[in-house]
Each structure stands twice: as C-alpha cells, then as structure tokens.
Amino acid sequence: MTKSFKVAGHSFSFDIPDAHPLWEKMGQYAPFEVPEAVCPLFTIRVVESLEPGAMKQVYGGNEEPGQPVVLLYEGESGWMMEMAPVTGRPLSGRMLSDKGFSHADLLVLRPDEGLFALNNAAMLMFAFASAPFHTLEMHASVIANGGRAFLFLAKSGTGKSTHSSQWLKYIPGSRLLNDDNPVVRILEDGTVEAFGSPWSGKTPCYRNEHYPVGAFVQIRRCPENRISRLDVFHSYALLYSSSSGFKTDPAMADMLHSTFEKISLSSPCYVLDCRPDEEAARVCSAEVLK
C-alpha cells in the first residue's frame, strides 16, 4: 500500500506492505495525508532485506551519551543511513537511498522501534531532498501568536519546550505549532514561513498549519532575563547550528548557505538569556510581538 503526504508544500510517499504493523502506529501523519502524489519529493519503501554493498562512513559515530545515533555512509550508487534512539542501543533501522535522495528502501531491524526508524528515515530524506527548495528542517519549538510563528532554538535539554510552555500559560493567543522539528521555507514571494510537521519529538503536536516567521529566538540559561537582537553574522550561525542537513557535502552546503543567508537578512533573530519562568516569556514576547 502506498500513501502520500505533504509538508511545507513538499509531497512524499510511503510504500509499506498492507498488513505491516507500522500502519496502525502512524496517526501523526494523518493531518498531512493527501491523494496520490504525482511527483513526490521522495518515496520510502519498507522492505524485508537490503544489500548495501561497499560503503564508506562519512558522518556520525561521535554522539554524546544518551543522544540519538545517525550514521551516514556513501557508496558508488547511493547512501546508507542507520539510526538508533540513543547511544549504546542496537540499531533500529537501516536505509538505502539513491544519490539524489528521491527513493529509499528501509529495513526495520527492531519491530518495536519501527515507527522511530520510519520517522528518522523520513526526516533525513526530507531534509536532504528539500534543500534545493529553500527549505530547512529545524530543531526548534514553535509558538504561533497573532498570525505569526516564533521559533525557540537551543540544544536539547536547554529549555525550548519549557519556554514554549511559559508562552502557552502566560501570553494570550499562544498556540503550539510544533515542539521539535518544524519546517521553515522561503516562499516564491520571499516570505519566510514556518510549517508544522509530523515530527514533534516527545510532545505530540502534529498540526498541518503554517504562519509567517515573526522571529527566531535562541534560548540560553541565565540568572536574569534579557533579550537582544543578533546581527546578520550571528543570525546565520544560529540558523546553521539549528537546522538539519548534510552540511559536509559541497553541493548541499551551497544550497543551505543560500537559504541561511536569505533568512538571516530578512527575519529577525534574537538571543534570550533567561530563567525558566513567567518573566522570561513576558520579556521575550514584549520584544518579538512588537
């Protein structure tokens, strides 16, 4: 059975055997389902076996303890990706993709972690295949307020979700759009738009909605609450460090560079030094909602 989905204007398809247990676990994709895609950005087929051939590792293997594992290998005809939920755990899945990231075969290695494998395969393929279209898969928590989206960026465990929760509690009109992996895209008219996605980390928030970006805000822990706007150089660095992509590949790096540059020149970026409290949300919102 094949089903198609659309995120940030990009359609993709899953080709999974009809009776496969994955279908019963994929409710997060329902808001994004569309009729059959004519020219999907990519297709992932779930298979029973893979023959990867000779591969050379080009990324991964140095993850910090407790962090997800993503390993990327390159071969003559394509790429292989392996993933595990945390360091020290057995691999959950292995995927073979063509060179252009338009088709991939996914082998689920641990049935109890099949959805994790599919989600990570889809996020990797989406990030790589959408790069030529001024699209970024971000690591952020996003609040929609007043018809705009505000993306909170930080390393895992630093307080993105906590800051979003303070907005939801104390800033009227706030709504959670996504809590981990939103998509940002520059539209043809130059608008920088934030989109919900089927991937939202530990918080189930799968909204098929999109809003113009109001601001990107870096969250840093600090004993006092203060916010300041970043210059273009530091805005670029913030976007670079908070997005997914194969940044060591020259062709993809060039495409991502163009997107980072355009966004950093057109969208305000801030750094919020803060405590995890109500005042931090009020200090932040007073500045970015102007």
Side-chain angles (χ1 to χ4, degrees), residues 231-253:
D231 59 25
V232 172
F233 175 81
H234 289 94
S235 297
Y236 180 101
L238 175 62
L239 297 170
Y240 179 96
S241 64
S242 303
S243 62
S244 301
F246 189 16
K247 298 167 186 172
T248 57
D249 177 75
M252 191 172 295

Side-chain angles (χ1 to χ4, degrees), residues 201-241:
K202 297 177 182 178
T203 303
C205 184
Y206 312 112
R207 303 190 191 282
N208 189 3
E209 302 173 6
H210 58 96
Y211 303 90
V213 169
F216 297 89
V217 182
Q218 181 183 13
I219 304 296
R220 299 193 307 198
R221 281 284 162 257
C222 184
E224 60 181 296
N225 296 313
R226 58 177 182 263
I227 187 169
S228 57
R229 186 160 178 174
L230 297 172
D231 59 25
V232 172
F233 175 81
H234 289 94
S235 297
Y236 180 101
L238 175 62
L239 297 170
Y240 179 96
S241 64

Side-chain angles (χ1 to χ4, degrees), residues 5-10 12 28-29 31-33 123 126 135-138 140-144 148-151 175-185 193-201 203-213:
F5 309 88
K6 182 177 284 188
V7 176
H10 302 302
F12 57 92
Q28 68 200 73
Y29 288 90
F32 303 89
E33 187 172 354
M123 285 190 287
F126 189 93
T135 304
L136 299 176
E137 191 178 280
M138 305 292 295
S141 183
V142 191
I143 287 290
R148 293 182 293 167
F150 301 91
L151 292 89
R175 173 180 174 86
L176 186 67
L177 177 61
N178 186 276
D179 201 38
D180 196 45
N181 289 105
V183 175
V184 171
R185 183 178 184 183
E193 201 90 353
F195 295 78
S197 82
W199 315 295
S200 190
T203 303
C205 184
Y206 312 112
R207 303 190 191 282
N208 189 3
E209 302 173 6
H210 58 96
Y211 303 90
V213 169

Side-chain angles (χ1 to χ4, degrees), residues 10 12-13 17 21 24 28 33 43 46 53 57 73 77 108 162 188 202 228 289:
H10 302 302
F12 57 92
S13 299
E24 298 180 358
Q28 68 200 73
E33 187 172 354
T43 299
V46 174
Q57 185 172 342
Y73 305 81
S77 59
V108 175
T162 299
E188 290 186 3
K202 297 177 182 178
S228 57
L289 290 175

Side-chain angles (χ1 to χ4, degrees), residues 61-69 85-88 155-156:
N62 58 348
E63 296 81 8
E64 296 180 3
Q67 293 298 308
V69 175
V86 293
T87 52
K155 294 181 179 180
S156 296

